[in-house]
């Protein structure tokens, strides 16, 4: 997989990809992540990428021309499966979307900023708009990092145990059941006996029941 991220703040984005699972995935060449500074595609001494919006109103808007130049250049080099715009008014990111996107080969992620991007960018290029929640961030960079983490961890070979991702919360529209590790008793609180029994069919049944019960209590909307 190759991911090209277009941003006005590449330095804000790079650190998540320099540690932990994302770093290992890049080092193992399971994914390529490239950052493109939008100012490199602007003209003039000030490398302007934003301007006031027509019709008045507070806040600046990312201009269409630099984004057009960047995306058009990338499209000349390869074919992209999706051009994704990170925006609060996009479809809320779900595990199902992450699963779907993890199967793609080439992605462009456009990070919004200020009051967003010129609508013509969305009309001309964007194939999917994604939000990570009903709130507003200063820009789409942190949202892009969250999105990348969600999909990269699903790529074969990224996790040491590939079955781990299949049992994550939301994979079957249920929350994950409670989990325990050593010691088996701590400050008088014991691990459920079933988990120490070695009877794996019964353990799986217990986990399914716990997952269903937890989902009913905490996220009944998933059911």
């Amino acid at each position: 997989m190759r991911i090209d991220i277009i941003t006005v703040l590449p330095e804000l984005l790079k650190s998540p990809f320099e540690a932990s699972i994302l770093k290992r995935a890049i080092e193992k060449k399971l994914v390529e992540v490239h950052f493109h500074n939008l100012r490199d595609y602007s003209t003039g001494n000030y490398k302007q990428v934003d301007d006031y919006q027509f019709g008045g109103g507070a806040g600046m808007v990312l201009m269409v021309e630099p984004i057009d130049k960047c995306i058009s250049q990338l499209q000349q080099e390869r074919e992209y499966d999706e051009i994704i715009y990170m925006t609060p008014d996009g479809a809320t990111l779900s595990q199902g979307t992450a699963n779907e996107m993890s199967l793609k080969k080439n992605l462009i992620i456009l990070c919004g900023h200020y009051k967003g991007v010129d609508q013509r960018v969305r009309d001309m290029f964007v194939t999917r708009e994604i939000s990570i929640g009903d709130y507003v961030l200063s820009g789409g960079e942190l949202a892009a990092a969250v999105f990348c983490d969600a999909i990269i961890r699903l790529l074969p070979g990224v996790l040491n145990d590939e079955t781990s991702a299949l049992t994550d919360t939301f994979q079957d529209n249920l929350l994950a059941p409670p989990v325990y590790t050593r010691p088996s008793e701590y400050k008088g609180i014991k691990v459920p006996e079933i988990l120490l029994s070695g009877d794996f069919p019964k353990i799986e049944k217990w986990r399914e029941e716990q997952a269903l019960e937890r989902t009913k209590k905490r996220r009944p909307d998933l059911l």
Side-chain angles (χ1 to χ4, degrees), residues 72-135:
S72 295
Q73 179 175 312
L74 290 171
Q75 288 180 321
Q76 289 176 7
E77 298 170 0
R78 67 193 56 80
E79 183 176 344
Y80 286 90
D81 301 295
E82 299 276 3
I83 299 177
I84 299 164
Y85 174 45
M86 305 303 301
T87 173
D89 57 4
T92 303
L93 177 61
S94 67
Q95 189 61 50
T97 301
N99 292 344
E100 179 188 354
M101 292 296 102
S102 72
L103 301 176
K104 306 295 185 180
K105 183 178 180 182
N106 296 315
L107 300 175
I108 289 176
I109 300 175
L110 172 62
C111 300
H113 218 69
Y114 312 116
K115 295 294 286 185
V117 302
D118 188 304
Q119 179 62 36
R120 288 168 290 189
V121 172
R122 301 167 85 161
D123 296 339
M124 292 166 59
F125 295 110
V126 173
T127 62
R128 188 175 295 229
E129 300 186 353
I130 293 178
S131 166
I132 62 168
D134 294 338
Y135 49 87

Side-chain angles (χ1 to χ4, degrees), residues 7-204:
T7 169
V8 294
L9 291 173
E11 62 275 11
L12 180 62
L13 257 173
K14 291 181 179 179
S15 60
F17 297 91
E18 296 172 350
S20 189
I21 290 175
L22 299 183
K23 179 182 179 182
R24 293 201 303 270
I26 293 171
E27 290 177 342
K28 293 167 70 173
K29 301 187 184 305
L30 300 173
V31 62
E32 292 182 41
V33 181
H34 300 269
F35 306 98
H36 304 274
N37 191 333
L38 197 55
R39 297 191 188 280
D40 293 338
Y41 298 87
S42 182
T43 57
N45 295 332
Y46 297 104
K47 298 294 183 181
Q48 182 180 358
V49 295
D50 63 309
D51 208 341
Y52 296 103
Q53 55 183 310
F54 283 123
M60 307 293 280
V61 177
L62 288 178
M63 301 162 65
V64 60
E65 186 176 5
I67 299 174
D68 180 4
K69 289 181 178 178
C70 183
I71 293 178
S72 295
Q73 179 175 312
L74 290 171
Q75 288 180 321
Q76 289 176 7
E77 298 170 0
R78 67 193 56 80
E79 183 176 344
Y80 286 90
D81 301 295
E82 299 276 3
I83 299 177
I84 299 164
Y85 174 45
M86 305 303 301
T87 173
D89 57 4
T92 303
L93 177 61
S94 67
Q95 189 61 50
T97 301
N99 292 344
E100 179 188 354
M101 292 296 102
S102 72
L103 301 176
K104 306 295 185 180
K105 183 178 180 182
N106 296 315
L107 300 175
I108 289 176
I109 300 175
L110 172 62
C111 300
H113 218 69
Y114 312 116
K115 295 294 286 185
V117 302
D118 188 304
Q119 179 62 36
R120 288 168 290 189
V121 172
R122 301 167 85 161
D123 296 339
M124 292 166 59
F125 295 110
V126 173
T127 62
R128 188 175 295 229
E129 300 186 353
I130 293 178
S131 166
I132 62 168
D134 294 338
Y135 49 87
V136 178
L137 300 173
S138 299
E141 286 78 14
L142 298 180
V146 169
F147 175 68
C148 288
D149 187 292
I151 63 175
I152 290 174
R153 66 187 304 276
L154 298 173
L155 300 177
V158 172
L159 298 179
N160 291 331
D161 182 356
E162 292 184 13
T163 63
S164 176
L166 299 178
T167 57
D168 285 340
T169 289
F170 302 124
Q171 282 290 15
D172 51 4
N173 285 329
L174 294 175
L175 302 184
V179 293
Y180 300 85
T181 188
R182 288 176 286 190
S184 60
E185 182 176 346
Y186 184 72
K187 293 187 176 181
I189 304 174
K190 297 182 179 180
V191 172
E193 288 295 330
I194 185 66
L195 298 178
L196 308 176
S197 68
D199 190 331
F200 294 109
K202 288 185 178 180
I203 290 173
E204 285 306 306

